[in-house]
Amino acid sequence: EICRGDRPLEIDLGCGDGRLTIEAAGWARRVYAIDRSAAVLQRARALATKHGARNIVWKRGEIERVPLPAASVDVALLSQALHHAADPGVALAEAVRVLRPGGRALLLDLRPHDQAWVKERLGDHWLGFSDDALASLMRRAGLRDIRLTLGARKAGGPFTVTIASGVKGRARAGA
């Protein structure tokens, strides 16, 4: 069980153009969409309006300093966001901080690649993550039941995606 009630509260960290946010809004009670760029959030908000998604709360912020209180969401989504974080460990710890006990973090991110041009042109800090490195980051952030799966790859393209998930442990009695 990942939510209280029939539909979860979700946060989309590094929401970008909002396409995945809008999809999540179709099944979530509410989605908090966080991105550092005011211009990107404005475009995402316009797209959400066009699609009739009204249960999205747009917030400007960094994924390393999430503008929500602790234990406030059931699902934390980081799709193609972690490789943009200056410190991926801090970003994951923040995602776990805002998760309720028993909540789930879902990550889609790049596997290691050699396309250094993305650092200058797209602002990437990292050239992907190996399964071991990603699992280690997730464990250190406080996730358990970690699962990693090979995701999509465009035929002939240099990028492959890992799909990962983990669960925030429940608070201990008396803690």
Side-chain angles (χ1 to χ4, degrees), residues 1-9 27 29 74 100:
E1 177 180 69
I2 60 169
C3 65
R4 296 180 175 119
D6 60 341
R7 295 182 352 168
L9 292 173
W27 58 267
R29 184 170 14 148
D74 303 298
R100 292 180 175 143

Side-chain angles (χ1 to χ4, degrees), residues 11-66:
I11 188 166
D12 184 356
L13 295 164
C15 66
D17 66 10
R19 291 182 194 282
L20 196 53
T21 309
I22 294 164
E23 288 298 319
W27 58 267
R29 184 170 14 148
R30 184 177 314 118
V31 180
Y32 297 96
I34 312 296
D35 202 278
R36 69 173 58 138
S37 168
V40 166
L41 285 172
Q42 185 176 3
R43 287 192 304 270
R45 188 179 288 118
L47 186 63
T49 299
K50 178 180 173 182
H51 287 277
R54 296 187 179 141
N55 58 336
I56 302 171
V57 177
W58 305 95
K59 289 183 173 277
R60 187 168 178 206
E62 299 288 334
I63 63 175
E64 292 99 338
R65 287 184 311 277
V66 177

Side-chain angles (χ1 to χ4, degrees), residues 171-175:
R172 295 182 189 155

Side-chain angles (χ1 to χ4, degrees), residues 57-173:
V57 177
W58 305 95
K59 289 183 173 277
R60 187 168 178 206
E62 299 288 334
I63 63 175
E64 292 99 338
R65 287 184 311 277
V66 177
L68 285 180
S72 57
V73 297
D74 303 298
V75 177
L77 174 65
L78 292 98
S79 177
Q80 302 298 332
L82 201 59
H83 63 266
H84 291 284
D87 188 332
V90 170
L92 276 172
E94 272 293 278
V96 172
R97 181 186 67 78
V98 299
L99 277 175
R100 292 180 175 143
R104 184 170 299 275
L106 301 172
L107 290 83
L108 289 84
D109 220 300
L110 299 175
R111 297 179 57 76
H113 61 84
D114 62 0
Q115 303 297 302
W117 61 268
V118 298
K119 287 188 172 194
E120 184 177 320
R121 290 211 357 234
L122 302 177
D124 293 16
H125 286 278
W126 303 91
L127 297 179
F129 303 95
S130 70
D131 286 355
D132 288 343
L134 189 55
S136 178
L137 285 168
M138 293 172 75
R139 274 192 301 278
R140 286 196 309 262
L143 296 169
R144 60 177 174 76
D145 298 332
I146 295 167
R147 294 188 171 96
L148 292 101
T149 305
L150 183 62
R153 179 181 198 143
K154 187 175 179 179
F159 304 109
T160 305
V161 173
T162 296
I163 302 167
S165 68
V167 176
K168 181 177 180 175
R170 299 207 179 269
R172 295 182 189 155

